[in-house]
Amino acid sequence: MFEPPHDRRAPRLFDALPAMRDAIPWRPLCHVPTPVERITALPFARDHGRVWAKRDDRISPVYGGNKVRRFEFLFADFEARGARRIVTAGGAASTQVTATARFGEALGIPVTAVLFDQPATHFLHEALLSNAAAGAELIDGGGYARTVWRTWRALARDPQSALLMPGASGPRANLGYLDAMLELDAQVRDGAMPRPDVIVVPAGSSGTLAALSLGAAWLGWSTEIVGVRITALAACNRVSVGLVQRATQRLLARFDRHATLLRPRFTLFHKAIGPGYGAPTPEAIAGIEQVRTLTGLPGEVTYSGKALAALRALCEDPARRSQTLLFWHTLSSVRPAPSADARDRVPVALRRWFDAPLVA
Ligand SMILES: *Cc1c(COP(=O)(O)O)cnc(C)c1O
């Protein structure tokens, strides 16, 4: 079954703040450090000359991407609370749902996921098949309101079910990306790459953005953290990111009182989202192949396509010619091809996705 990473004793955070070790449940899931590599295969990055990637796409053989660092804290917390089932919700192509389904299967905890509608894509098909193959119970949520209602109903079936919030974000979960900044700091000290002037990362629930910028402030770095907004402005804006950040900062300050003084800074990039969450802008569609060039597996339009569109815009900005840019790659490149019978395991109500016209 699940092979935990042998050499992962504890997050760097616990070495930095030993009191955390006894107060915060944690279990090893990540194969870290993830590599940092110079990007030379994408023409706009090669022309710029100082563009790097942080390969969180390869963080685990179970499933990669940016949910896994958070799961080290979330799954440990569920276990500590005696949860018997995880209930979650997300878009029909949500990577959070796929990550939950795959780690639920690997760790032996059943998963129920309520899926809301989003634009139909190849990636959505792949996600549905993967979630079904992982044995997750999949429920058609339809619109947002019905998804909330059905999630609540799924939770109410068993008092020992635990809710994994859409986006898998929250102060405890975000410790994963605070820890990731300590990892990057060690890589910079070891000479693996220069200290970046800019880090580019997609922002949905903005847990990653909030934690990376808090981490940069904690390290005393002046690095600008650019969050590429991929969800509606109502869900991702200066106020909402600030709230996520301060909640994470308060948790950190329980273990390091100086952390209350930090003033983390971040920038939001609003020009990549186009008409909305999951909407296929031409630049995001171009990103599908760019991700294949980077990792060997195609990308998708919701997260990585838009993040790469923003990276390109920054590379082409004359004011950023001499800056070192780090693209934090958050999309899993571990996505085994689904088995032939996976389609039969998708509930009938959700098979309508296989007939829907694809936008990308
Ligand atoms: C979930 C996800 C994001 C969004 O991260 P947040 O921390 O929720 O902002 C970005 N990219 C990918 C590939 C994701 O799966």
Side-chain angles (χ1 to χ4, degrees), residues 200-349:
V200 180
V201 70
S205 76
S206 65
T208 312
L209 170 63
L212 290 180
S213 48
L214 178 61
W218 198 37
L219 288 168
W221 287 14
S222 56
T223 303
E224 176 185 6
I225 318 291
V226 177
V228 182
R229 180 168 67 83
I230 54 144
T231 48
L233 187 59
C236 180
N237 51 68
R238 291 210 69 78
V239 174
S240 69
V241 179
L243 287 173
V244 176
Q245 196 166 63
R246 277 190 293 283
T248 311
Q249 188 169 357
R250 276 195 298 277
L251 177 57
L252 175 63
R254 274 175 44 197
F255 303 93
D256 174 7
R257 60 195 172 81
H258 300 297
T260 46
L261 301 175
L262 302 175
R263 292 287 170 268
R265 292 180 310 117
F266 62 89
T267 311
L268 282 172
F269 186 95
H270 296 285
K271 287 190 283 225
I273 181 164
Y277 179 73
T281 62
E283 295 80 7
I285 290 174
I288 296 176
E289 284 309 307
Q290 291 167 358
V291 171
R292 195 202 298 274
T293 304
L294 277 181
T295 68
L297 261 195
E300 41 67 59
V301 294
T302 307
Y303 313 94
S304 54
K306 288 178 183 172
L308 278 169
L311 178 69
R312 178 173 190 162
L314 298 183
C315 284
E316 291 172 352
D317 177 353
R320 298 184 182 276
R321 266 275 153 236
S322 61
Q323 291 184 322
T324 297
L325 308 177
L326 176 65
F327 177 69
W328 208 301
H329 192 32
T330 55
L331 178 74
S332 181
S333 57
V334 177
R335 301 191 328 249
S339 62
D341 69 339
R343 208 181 252 241
D344 304 332
R345 301 179 65 178
V346 174
V348 173

